[in-house]
Amino acid sequence: MRILLPIAGISVHLWTVVGIGGIIGLLSGLLGIGGGFLLTPILMMIGVPPTIAAASGTNAIVATSSSGVAAHFRLNNVDFKMGAILLLGGLAGSGIGVHLVHILRQLGSADLAISLTYIVMLGLVGGLIIRDSWRKLRSGLVARPKRYEEEKSSVLSRLPLQMEFPHSGVRHSIFLPFVLCLLVGVLTAIMGVAGGFVLMPMMVYMLRMPAHVAVGTSLFQALFTCAGATVMQAGSNHIVDLVLALLVAIGSTIGAQIGARMSRYLRGEQLMILLGFLALGVMFKMVADLVVTPVVPISQIARIDFLKPLQHVAAGLFFFFGR
Amino acid sequence: MEVTSIPKCRARAGRRERWAVLALLMAGAFTAGAAPLRIAPGAASLPPAQMPTPRLVPEMIAMGTFYDGAHVRIEGTAPAMSGVVVTIEGTERDEIFDRKGRVGPIWLTVDKIHVQSAPSVFLRFSSAALGSLLDREEVQKYQLDEAAIVCRCRILCHCKCDSMDRMKMSGVDDTVPDSLYAAVLISDFLKLKEHDGRYEEHPGSVHIAAANAGTNYALEFEWPKNIAPGRYRVTVYACRDRRVVAQSATLLHVEEVGFPEYMAKMASAKPWEYGAVAVLVSVLAGFLTDLITSSLRRRRKPETKRA
């Protein structure tokens, strides 16, 4: 059965789009990543114009994330306090990143630098996650976050504005998650993807959050980021196709539920290994894009000002913290 | 780099070679002056006669919620002993593209291309191969193939904007490429349009039959599902002695109706409200799915306990 997408103005197979959503949702619920990096190119493959695919994908991720957040909230896997700080840091970082991209493009050869940075980073993150989690699995150690007492000796514990995050079982200075997420925000703005790949390992390895709580909190952050981006894209560019987003959302919300349930039967290390393999898969895809001769050397620009509207929020944050 | 790639293209594929050569000719034409070369149809000393307006069935393609393409029939009468060419063209628009190029062993985005006044769609149907119906000059004059269509477009390089909106706002002037580079860009542009199914040529698809008043022609085809709503110009050319002897044109309307029309109007008339509704509906859809699955799970649990 085919259905017309009102904004894209094209007819697509209903079950194909729902199926695509299902796969994205499964990954989202299981691993805490938004899935935008996969969704946009797949929608483009079925004929959706690039900008509409990107903006409507963002809208679909709102549904996926909200379904995932609800499921993880029920499982007590969402640290709202940490999520709010990560959200603020990410927004500020996005604003800085957009300016940085502008400067890099003016300098020239920015694309090569961005592509290589992305490949090296995905390779490193994926490789290290797999190695570390595999070792833990083989030695039979259960991932356990350090408690407050263990953290006391750390240099980081001497930073100002220490705060307890009982849900995650950690204690950090408010600046640590904020600055880390600010860096992730800068990276996501440069690379043009939402950044679940970077955010998830960062929460587990640097903020020492349990993997399951990291998944729920990452989805909480993605929900707000994507909701803001959807309103901005619909308001300023008129490129959000709600029918497309809802079709993807039908599949992805169900997929997210299945993913969240599946995550209960997997150990934290197993989840991280899956994430690592996914990161390596994306890295190989990027390498192939760079090396393999394209069928047609020109393509319509798929980039949308995903993070540009967030600059206003970032400017507000700078004003707030600068005072 | 772009200059040396033309001979390579020729060596690789005959199809690409054809485009490169044609595009080179076109590029030479429009880079000769500051303005793109525009050849007005019917500007010759002997203008073609008007023939009866073609009949379209349906006259309007209605795109409802479950739109699954449409079967279109175009028919009419042409002067006696003539071949027929039918073209369907979408409105002209500006587009921006990324262009990849080889830098050492890897492919990178090396340029941003701005194509002005390119028809969004160009479909051509004919009763025989175009070369057997018309001289090349006539094809050029009436813009009856893709290479000729590009003649009226303007291709610019080193575009500095990511989106058309920003380009219009900033009024950035792009660079006019040299003739060799322009030829490569035109060739790439046509290949992309062919790949997307927006530029197509179907020789031998128009059926003709001799009749008392002239030649009856009929064309039936499936309207592509990936073509957006709009007004499409249908032009019929009658060809005899390798020149166009008569022509006629009409409009084919492709419009959204019902729910898709309502959504499209809302998205353009009240964009911020539409965005807020989109988020709200998505959040509700997410929570609703969670509610349904969790209630289903709760129902199953007591059953398993009893068992």
Side-chain angles (χ1 to χ4, degrees):
Chain A
M1 185 167 72
R2 295 187 79 95
I3 192 162
L4 181 72
L5 306 177
I7 309 301
I10 60 163
S11 170
V12 292
H13 277 291
L14 191 143
W15 298 117
T16 307
V17 181
V18 174
I20 290 168
I23 296 165
I24 302 298
L26 190 74
L27 290 173
S28 177
L30 192 62
L31 303 173
I33 54 171
F37 73 99
L38 274 176
L39 188 56
T40 307
I42 295 177
L43 290 178
M44 281 165 63
M45 276 166 63
I46 61 166
V48 181
T51 49
I52 294 176
S56 309
T58 310
N59 188 14
I61 291 169
V62 173
T64 317
S65 311
S66 58
S67 171
V69 165
H72 279 282
F73 175 70
R74 212 180 299 283
L75 299 167
N76 214 18
N77 282 346
V78 186
D79 189 336
F80 290 104
K81 197 197 276 185
M82 183 67 88
I85 294 168
L86 294 175
L87 183 63
L88 291 175
L91 290 175
S94 304
I96 298 169
V98 170
H99 281 298
L100 204 62
V101 171
H102 186 66
I103 294 165
L104 277 172
R105 287 202 194 285
Q106 281 183 331
L107 290 173
S109 70
D111 284 322
L112 178 62
I114 290 168
S115 298
L116 290 181
T117 310
Y118 202 9
I119 287 169
V120 169
M121 212 184 63
L122 280 175
L124 277 175
V125 168
L128 286 174
I129 288 173
I130 292 170
R131 194 193 67 169
D132 186 56
S133 304
W134 182 246
R135 275 184 187 168
K136 281 181 183 169
L137 272 178
R138 284 192 71 183
S139 61
L141 289 172
V142 178
R144 186 179 60 86
K146 286 183 181 178
R147 311 306 302 178
Y148 311 150
E149 295 75 29
E150 294 173 58
E151 292 283 335
K152 274 181 183 170
S153 59
S154 156
V155 180
L156 296 173
S157 66
R158 275 173 246 142
L159 287 171
L161 288 174
Q162 290 287 324
M163 189 182 271
E164 283 180 15
F165 297 92
H167 234 94
S168 306
V170 292
R171 181 186 175 86
H172 291 298
S173 160
I174 194 171
F175 290 114
L176 182 62
F178 183 83
V179 170
L180 285 177
C181 217
L182 187 132
L183 293 175
V184 173
V186 172
L187 283 173
T188 53
I190 292 173
M191 295 167 186
V193 291
F197 283 125
V198 191
L199 190 61
M200 267 293 294
M202 190 201 76
M203 285 196 278
V204 174
Y205 290 107
M206 302 188 81
L207 298 177
R208 300 198 170 279
M209 291 167 70
H212 295 89
V213 179
V215 171
T217 311
S218 168
L219 286 175
F220 172 76
Q221 193 243 19
L223 168 61
F224 282 90
T225 312
C226 292
T230 300
V231 175
M232 295 292 183
Q233 289 302 339
S236 47
N237 297 328
H238 310 180
I239 49 175
V240 175
D241 197 312
L242 182 55
V243 173
L244 174 62
L246 281 179
L247 287 178
V248 174
I250 289 169
S252 65
T253 48
I254 297 166
Q257 290 290 322
I258 298 168
R261 300 278 173 276
M262 276 171 69
S263 74
R264 290 170 68 191
Y265 302 106
L266 293 171
R267 284 170 56 180
E269 292 82 11
Q270 290 168 326
L271 286 179
M272 295 308 288
I273 285 178
L274 278 176
L275 183 67
F277 275 116
L278 201 59
L280 287 185
V282 175
M283 184 202 79
F284 285 124
K285 161 82 173 63
M286 286 206 67
V287 172
D289 283 347
L290 284 177
V291 178
V292 177
T293 306
V295 179
V296 185
I298 65 168
S299 58
Q300 247 183 332
I301 291 173
R303 284 189 298 273
I304 55 170
D305 281 347
F306 179 72
L307 297 161
K308 181 85 178 171
L310 303 179
Q311 272 183 301
H312 303 295
V313 183
L317 280 170
F318 284 130
F319 178 72
F320 178 77
F321 284 107
R323 280 194 303 176
Chain B
M1 179 188 62
E2 289 79 12
V3 173
T4 52
S5 65
I6 292 181
K8 282 179 191 172
C9 294
R10 287 179 183 170
R12 275 184 207 143
R15 189 180 177 82
R16 193 165 177 184
E17 181 190 357
R18 183 174 60 125
W19 284 126
V21 173
L22 285 173
L24 189 62
L25 291 169
M26 298 307 112
F30 80 72
T31 49
L37 178 63
R38 287 169 187 271
I39 303 169
S45 53
L46 281 170
Q50 280 296 312
M51 59 183 186
T53 308
R55 198 165 79 89
L56 304 182
V57 183
E59 285 181 349
M60 187 197 91
I61 298 175
M63 300 171 88
T65 306
F66 299 105
Y67 169 72
D68 190 15
H71 186 79
V72 178
R73 183 179 169 86
I74 300 171
E75 59 189 10
T77 307
M81 306 289 286
S82 56
V84 173
V85 177
V86 180
T87 60
I88 299 175
E89 271 186 57
T91 47
E92 292 180 0
R93 63 181 186 185
D94 285 18
E95 291 178 88
I96 301 179
F97 302 95
D98 274 335
R99 181 171 186 278
K100 280 191 169 185
R102 210 174 177 91
V103 182
I106 56 176
W107 288 87
L108 285 174
T109 303
V110 291
D111 201 356
K112 205 168 285 175
I113 311 302
H114 181 189
V115 181
Q116 294 177 330
S117 311
S120 58
V121 171
F122 177 76
L123 309 175
R124 193 198 66 210
F125 306 87
S126 52
S127 56
L130 199 65
S132 67
L133 291 173
L134 293 167
D135 283 335
R136 183 67 215 163
E137 292 75 31
E138 291 283 287
V139 174
Q140 278 288 112
K141 187 170 138 185
Y142 293 96
Q143 298 176 3
L144 292 179
D145 69 2
E146 295 163 13
I149 282 292
V150 175
C151 199
R152 81 165 104 128
C153 307
R154 191 164 190 226
I155 296 191
L156 302 158
C157 59
H158 310 322
C159 172
K160 294 182 181 62
C161 285
D162 282 343
S163 70
M164 289 310 307
D165 287 342
R166 237 189 297 167
M167 172 170 284
K168 280 170 194 163
M169 279 191 294
S170 62
V172 174
D173 288 327
D174 303 322
T175 310
V176 177
D178 62 57
S179 59
L180 287 172
Y181 187 33
V184 174
L185 297 182
I186 290 167
S187 166
D188 290 346
F189 174 73
L190 290 176
K191 260 190 283 175
L192 178 75
K193 289 291 182 184
E194 269 192 356
H195 188 256
D196 290 348
R198 284 178 169 79
Y199 283 20
E200 285 181 0
E201 295 175 350
H202 301 274
S205 53
V206 180
H207 301 285
I208 49 174
N212 293 339
T215 306
N216 286 345
Y217 65 87
L219 161 67
E220 289 191 38
F221 66 101
E222 294 298 324
W223 184 253
K225 295 179 180 76
N226 64 343
I227 291 183
R231 285 190 303 175
Y232 295 87
R233 186 179 171 82
V234 178
T235 313
V236 180
Y237 300 89
C239 316
R240 198 168 53 203
D241 303 328
R242 302 186 66 75
R243 53 182 291 270
V244 174
V245 290
Q247 73 177 75
S248 177
T250 186
L251 285 176
L252 173 63
H253 296 265
V254 182
E255 290 175 11
E256 289 181 328
V257 293
F259 178 70
E261 184 191 16
Y262 171 76
M263 292 291 284
K265 276 184 182 167
M266 187 183 172
S268 59
K270 296 175 179 175
W272 294 100
E273 289 88 335
Y274 176 85
V277 168
V279 168
L280 198 67
V281 170
S282 303
V283 170
L284 284 176
F287 286 158
L288 189 70
T289 315
D290 176 64
L291 204 69
I292 293 167
T293 50
S294 60
S295 65
L296 282 174
R297 213 175 55 254
R298 257 184 252 126
R299 264 187 213 167
R300 269 186 222 141
K301 272 185 182 173
E303 284 170 17
T304 48
K305 274 178 189 174
R306 262 179 243 143

